[in-house]
Amino acid sequence: MTETLTGATTVRAPAAAPTLTGPGLLTVLLAAALPLVDFFIVNVALPAIGAGLHASEAVLELVVAGYGVTYAVLLVLGGRLGDLFGRRRLFIAGMAAFGVTSLACGLAPDAWSLVAARAAQGASAALMLPQVLATIQATTTGGRRARAMSLYGATAGLSMVIGQILGGVLVAADIAGTGWRSIFLVNVPVVVLGLVLAVRRVPDTRSRHPEPVDVPGTVLLAVALLALLAPLTEGRATGWPLWTWLSLAVFPVTAWAFYAVERRADRLGHTPLLPPSLFAAPSLRRGLLIIVPFSLGFSGFMFVIALSLQQGAGLGPVAAGLALAPMAVSFLLVSLIGPRLIARFGTRVVATGSALQGIGVLLIALAVWLDWPHLGLGALLPGAAVAGAGQALQLPNLMRIVLAEVPSARAGVGSGVLTTTQQASFALGVATLGALFLSLIPHLGMRDALLAALVTQLGAILVTGLLSLRLPREVG
């Protein structure tokens, strides 16, 4: 801020808006990758974790669910805290906590210690990740924002696939005898590098009109998400005891109570955790609706294919991870041209992506039908490559569409809503598609159970494609 004197009057020029430089963007994208990599990295490591810690199937489900549930429950709160106390401060605190909790996961002496550390790791990720999107929204405009959002979406998609590839490589490498522990310990040096870059390169932003934390809304949202996700992720492994059914019965009641409390607060001019008025923007409302089936189907697929390739096709963790490498490569290449395609053809690119993804999954199903159990990189390459290209036309563009009309003052809230929707859908996908797959194995065998899961995913892809036809044609 500068000052000039005119007579006896001091005029203060407004401070220049903070700008996210290239190194700063690289830093926040690194932080965006970490939580997603860690959600998927355990898929191929679960057999090794179970053997190393003598963990039951129910406890292994908690290793996955403990992270996903706390992550999903706290994301909106993390976005609000960034708006209130400063996004850079919360970003650095969340990243540091993510490093500490990753170390705790890697050093866990028993299965329940790992479950607790994973839950804490999910909570720290919920503090860090919303600040990424909020910082991009607050420090970029126009073409720079479009490119940054496309890179964010590409990072998110690649992280999901690379997580499973990296997990397989690290488990097999058994670095210094660490075995599965290396999938968590590898985060520590990455976090140290990220913290150094964040202190130097990430600008500090916050809402000009920070809103206090909505305690009733936060509690009700947490209860609603826990009531839904906890029984779905643990029900099958524990035999669906009474508490799971009671919890599912509680969910619609708490969800309705949350909406009623938030709507009333919004109407009275207060500051709800999730303002219903935010959903007045068609791009946000319709984009979120599409992200649900997309994320549900994709996360379920990643979980199911990891188990099938290792326990059914007999592949090692490295081969199981690398079988999905064509998906990562095609996703990267196609996502680079995504901004140009959507600028020329509008949101119909998303529907095209759904069609491509559906063709890819059909090709994977055909390979399973013809080649089982001799699956590997060669058999899965055509389907994985086409599916990855289709996903690249959907996910980065959907994220950009969802946030296109969210004002910078509510960037933290908007990013929290987006990431919560995505993460809750990931957890639901693993729980529902995974439960379907595992329950069918004793009756149909693994090949036909996998085919049933792939057909179910095709249904989710069809829903995604049909919903995408209702998107606003142009992206702001």
Side-chain angles (χ1 to χ4, degrees):
M1 182 174 291
T2 59
E3 297 184 0
T4 58
L5 293 178
T6 306
T9 304
T10 300
V11 179
R12 291 178 178 268
T19 301
L20 189 64
T21 63
L25 178 61
L26 177 64
T27 304
V28 296
L29 291 179
L30 174 66
L34 283 172
L36 288 170
V37 166
D38 268 59
F39 184 86
F40 288 92
I41 201 170
V42 299
N43 284 348
V44 293
L46 284 176
I49 294 173
L53 297 181
H54 308 290
S56 67
E57 183 182 341
V59 176
L60 288 177
E61 292 267 6
L62 280 175
V63 171
V64 178
Y67 178 86
V69 170
T70 56
Y71 187 19
V73 164
L74 296 174
L75 274 165
V76 176
L77 178 61
R80 171 60 59 82
L81 291 175
D83 287 349
L84 186 61
F85 296 110
R87 294 160 189 145
R88 181 172 176 269
R89 179 182 299 178
L90 266 292
F91 178 81
I92 291 173
M95 180 175 277
F98 192 85
V100 171
T101 52
S102 295
L103 182 62
C105 289
L107 300 178
D110 54 59
W112 286 106
S113 297
L114 178 58
V115 170
R118 281 283 283 173
Q121 189 187 34
S124 64
L127 288 181
M128 175 176 64
L129 188 63
Q131 319 316 325
V132 174
L133 279 172
T135 298
I136 290 174
Q137 287 288 101
T139 58
T140 59
T141 57
R144 291 187 69 250
R145 178 180 293 179
R147 287 189 293 273
M149 286 301 302
S150 294
L151 286 172
Y152 175 88
T155 300
L158 280 173
S159 299
M160 302 172 201
V161 182
I162 289 174
Q164 293 200 182
I165 297 173
L166 182 62
V169 171
L170 288 174
V171 169
D174 192 22
I175 301 170
T178 55
W180 61 265
R181 298 178 186 275
S182 61
I183 70 173
F184 301 115
L185 296 175
V186 73
N187 291 336
V188 177
V190 177
V191 165
V192 171
L193 173 63
L195 288 172
V196 172
L197 290 171
V199 169
R200 297 181 178 182
R201 300 295 185 178
V202 176
D204 191 16
T205 65
R206 68 181 68 201
S207 174
R208 293 182 180 179
H209 305 287
E211 302 167 338
V213 173
D214 170 20
V215 175
T218 300
V219 171
L220 284 170
L221 178 62
V223 172
L225 287 173
L226 282 171
L228 176 65
L229 296 177
L232 287 179
T233 52
E234 279 297 292
R236 189 201 60 81
T238 56
W240 295 103
L242 179 61
W243 73 264
T244 60
W245 298 106
L246 292 175
S247 182
L248 288 172
V250 165
F251 168 68
V253 178
T254 52
W256 178 86
F258 171 71
Y259 174 73
V261 166
E262 298 298 278
R263 184 178 60 179
R264 183 173 183 273
D266 207 17
R267 189 181 299 151
L268 294 175
H270 297 165
T271 53
L273 178 73
L274 189 59
S277 58
L278 199 66
F279 291 86
S283 58
L284 182 139
R285 186 174 64 250
R286 295 172 186 173
L288 287 178
L289 196 61
I290 298 170
I291 280 179
V292 170
F294 175 86
S295 300
L296 192 151
F298 183 62
S299 64
F301 166 80
M302 296 296 283
F303 178 76
V304 165
I305 200 70
L307 290 180
S308 298
L309 291 177
Q310 289 189 87
Q311 297 181 7
L315 299 182
V318 175
L322 290 178
L324 298 177
M327 184 177 289
V329 172
S330 66
F331 189 103
L332 174 62
L333 295 176
V334 175
S335 64
L336 294 176
I337 63 172
R340 290 197 294 270
L341 291 175
I342 206 163
R344 182 173 180 181
F345 301 107
T347 58
R348 292 298 179 262
V349 169
V350 178
T352 303
S354 297
L356 274 178
Q357 186 188 8
I359 293 170
V361 172
L362 278 173
L363 290 173
I364 291 173
L366 183 62
V368 172
W369 177 266
L370 296 177
D371 298 327
W372 184 267
H374 306 293
L375 292 179
L377 177 61
L380 294 177
L381 190 152
V386 174
Q391 290 155 5
L393 292 179
Q394 293 174 85
L395 185 60
N397 293 321
L398 281 173
M399 289 183 166
R400 179 181 165 194
I401 289 165
V402 167
L403 296 177
E405 296 177 293
V406 175
S408 295
R410 285 184 161 177
V413 178
S415 62
V417 171
L418 170 58
T419 48
T420 297
T421 302
Q422 184 184 47
Q423 185 58 41
S425 301
F426 282 160
L428 281 173
V430 172
T432 54
L433 203 60
L436 172 68
F437 170 69
L438 293 170
S439 64
L440 289 177
I441 290 175
H443 307 288
L444 302 179
M446 189 165 288
R447 186 197 74 162
D448 289 349
L450 175 56
L451 288 172
L454 291 173
V455 170
T456 304
Q457 189 196 3
L458 281 171
I461 293 170
L462 177 61
V463 172
T464 301
L466 292 175
L467 289 174
S468 67
L469 297 176
R470 299 187 67 246
L471 286 170
R473 189 63 184 265
E474 302 297 327
V475 182

